[in-house]
Structure formats: C-alpha cells, structure tokens
Amino acid sequence: MVTLRLVLAALVLTAVGRPRIRGDRTGLGIAAVAGTLLAVHHLAYYEAVARLPLGAATTLEFLGPFAIALCGSRRAPDLLWAGLAATGVLLLSHSGSALDATGIACATLAGCCWGGYILAGKRLAGHDPGGNGLALAVTWGALLSLPYGITQAGTRLLDPGTLAVAAAVAVLSSVVPYTFQLEALRRLTPRVFGVLTSLEPAVGALIGLVLLGQHLAVAQWAGVAAVGLASVGATRAEGRAGRARAAHEGAATAARTEAATRESQDATAP
C-alpha cells in the first residue's frame, strides 16, 4: 500500500503540475533529496506501525519535527512551546506496554527522515514557487519504493480493489496534505512548522473519539490541550516576530531611500 500510495500520488501530481526535468540541476537535487527522505520515512514508519502501538510509533516519528523546533529556537518562549508540544504528544501516546526494538529503530529512522524532509521541503518551496518540485520529489520517492513494494506484495499491487483503495489514500493522504504542507513551508519557519505538526496525533485522537468511540484517558486529554496550546502559542509568536521583521525591514528601506534622495539632491544642487 505504501508503494501504491506514492506511485499513484506521483501520477496525480505529475498530471496536474507537468514538471520539467531539464535545465535546473539545483532544483532536481533538492527534489531528489526530498523524495528520498519521503520514501524512507514512509517505509520505515509503516514497518514501525507493524511492530509498535500506533501512539508509540507516532511519538517516535515526531522526534524529528521536535528536534527541528528545538534547534530553531532562539528564545525561551520558543523552547517552551516546543517542549509543551513534545509533552503533549508523549501524554497522547501512553500505552504502558513493552516495545519492540526493531519497531523503535524504524520509528526513530522515520522521525529523522521527517525532520530532514521539513528542511528539504523548505528549500524546495523556496526554490520552486510553482510546486513542480513536489511532483518530482514524490515521483523519485515512488521509484525508490518500487523494489520494496514488489517484494512485499508482488502481483497483489495490481488487484483492482487494492488499486481503488490506494488511489483514494494517495489523494487524501499524499497529494492533498503534501501540497498544503509545501504551501505552509513557504510561509512558516521550519521551527514553527515542526511545532504545528504535533497537532496531527491530537487531531487523530479526537477523530478516534468522535468516529470510532475510542475514549481518551485524563492524561491523553491533557496531551490534547498541551498540543493545542503549544500550536497556538508558536503561531502567535511567529506572527509577532514576522511583523517585527517587516517593520524593521520597512524602516531600513525608508532610511536607505531617504539617504539616496538626499545624495541625489546634493549632487544636483548648484
């Protein structure tokens, strides 16, 4: 399913974006790195889920984004929001059971790749405003995952029922979120993006409660609240910082313009 998800997502993104391959070695390099990280992340995460409780696997996967958030923190409030988000996800994932060592290794690898993808995705978003790089990245990731998928599933990959389910998953779990994530990375720093990704397990827990009747313990509700508070705090802090940077840049531009005007007047004065 992982391979089909990436292959079908690549086909959709390629059909929509029609990316160009020639003429931009830098863009191709960034897309290749992003696609490699994406493929390894997917394969490692689903191997982890096969061996670990979903909450534990997700928690270890989010070590990557949290590491990005912590490394990008320059002030005490930044560390507070990142730490609060990490605490919230840990509370959400509490299972109390022993964990498989191979599963832990796979989930940790997935977390490293997800953190790396955030950094590569930021470069991809900045280098390719049109979004064609995403199609190239997913296509490369799909090609890398093909040997794994063929080895694991063989001809079952061509089963009509499997293809139908995989197509729905590819659109809803790959094409749509990857596109929105890339747009978010155009506008956010990797630090804030890393904190905001902690909303995913919290939203998943709430959906499980509403749709599946999976009730949460008190500690898990505390985790949902902590993640929500951290996301709001990080977003508001980034907004204030962005306005401050814009005001500073505006003042600097005005000062340079004024200085240039004065120099021009002095040069033309008799």
Side-chain angles (χ1 to χ4, degrees), residues 161-214:
T162 302
L163 285 172
V165 173
V169 172
V171 173
L172 297 176
S173 297
S174 295
V175 175
V176 174
Y178 292 166
T179 302
F180 278 106
Q181 285 170 359
L182 200 67
E183 289 303 316
L185 283 168
R186 296 188 204 280
R187 296 164 172 80
L188 299 174
T189 63
R191 179 187 64 79
V192 173
F193 186 88
V195 174
L196 289 178
T197 53
S198 63
L199 280 171
E200 292 184 21
V203 171
L206 293 175
I207 291 175
L209 172 66
V210 174
L211 299 181
L212 303 177
Q214 297 176 345

Side-chain angles (χ1 to χ4, degrees), residues 2 40-53 57 100 102-107 109-110 148-149 152:
V2 179
V40 177
H41 164 265
H42 278 51
L43 298 178
Y45 178 70
Y46 283 101
E47 285 293 330
V49 168
R51 296 170 170 81
L52 299 176
D100 179 78
T102 303
I104 291 174
C106 289
L109 175 60
Y148 174 89
Q152 294 292 318

Side-chain angles (χ1 to χ4, degrees), residues 45 48-59 93 95-100:
Y45 178 70
V49 168
R51 296 170 170 81
L52 299 176
L54 182 61
T58 302
T59 298
S93 67
S95 63
S97 59
L99 301 180
D100 179 78

Side-chain angles (χ1 to χ4, degrees), residues 95-126:
S95 63
S97 59
L99 301 180
D100 179 78
T102 303
I104 291 174
C106 289
T108 303
L109 175 60
C112 293
C113 291
W114 184 227
Y117 176 77
I118 291 174
L119 298 178
K122 180 66 175 178
R123 289 199 62 190
L124 190 67

